């Protein structure tokens, strides 16, 4: 089954917040085979990437500083037609990804 949605989370030194953000993304009602999560580490100097890796989530580095560079990198490395963005300080509801895709299928 091909992935349908990529969720991109740009981060910079978010070790205090990224764990709970990823927990909310990993516990979606949407079938896990239908979406991917990619964290774009914008050159963090803390344990952000380590925490992401421990959660089993893909991390991509973007060394150019700035949110726009992180977002652009996420789009470049995604493999799906549909892309959603959230930030490390966000917690999404369990049906968030499912609702995103549902809006495109109706």
């Amino acid at each position: 089954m091909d992935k349908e949605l990529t969720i991109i989370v740009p981060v910079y030194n978010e070790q205090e917040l990224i764990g709970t953000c990823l927990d909310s993304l990993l516990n979606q009602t949407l079938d896990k085979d239908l979406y991917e999560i990619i964290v774009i580490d914008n050159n963090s100097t803390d344990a952000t990437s380590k925490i992401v890796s421990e959660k089993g989530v893909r991390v991509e580095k973007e060394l150019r500083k700035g949110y726009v560079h992180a977002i652009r990198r996420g789009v470049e490395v995604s493999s799906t037609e549909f892309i959603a963005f959230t930030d490390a300080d966000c917690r999404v509801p369990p049906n968030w990804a499912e609702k995103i895709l549902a809006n495109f299928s109706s």
Side-chain angles (χ1 to χ4, degrees):
M1 184 180 308
D2 290 334
K3 306 271 187 220
E4 295 183 17
L5 176 69
T6 299
I7 300 170
I8 297 171
V9 186
V11 297
Y12 174 73
N13 289 343
E14 299 286 0
Q15 70 181 13
E16 300 299 323
L17 300 169
I18 193 62
T20 51
C21 172
L22 291 177
D23 288 343
S24 74
L25 294 172
L26 290 166
N27 291 303
Q28 292 293 296
T29 56
L30 184 65
D31 185 327
K32 304 267 186 275
D33 291 333
L34 295 179
Y35 72 101
E36 64 181 350
I37 304 165
I38 305 174
V39 172
I40 307 298
D41 184 344
N42 200 204
N43 211 19
S44 294
T45 58
D46 66 0
T48 299
S49 283
K50 180 178 184 251
I51 293 165
V52 174
S53 294
E54 288 172 352
K55 295 268 185 194
V57 173
R58 178 177 167 190
V59 180
E60 293 283 337
K61 296 281 188 183
E62 175 51 62
L63 300 179
R64 293 173 293 173
K65 289 283 197 178
Y67 188 78
V68 70
H69 295 297
I71 292 293
R72 185 174 293 135
R73 176 78 174 142
V75 171
E76 289 171 357
V77 300
S78 73
S79 62
T80 63
E81 180 179 4
F82 301 110
I83 300 172
F85 301 92
T86 193
D87 292 317
D89 61 348
C90 295
R91 310 301 170 265
V92 299
N95 62 346
W96 184 71
E98 191 171 2
K99 281 189 167 190
I100 290 170
L101 285 182
N103 283 319
F104 289 102
S105 65
S106 60

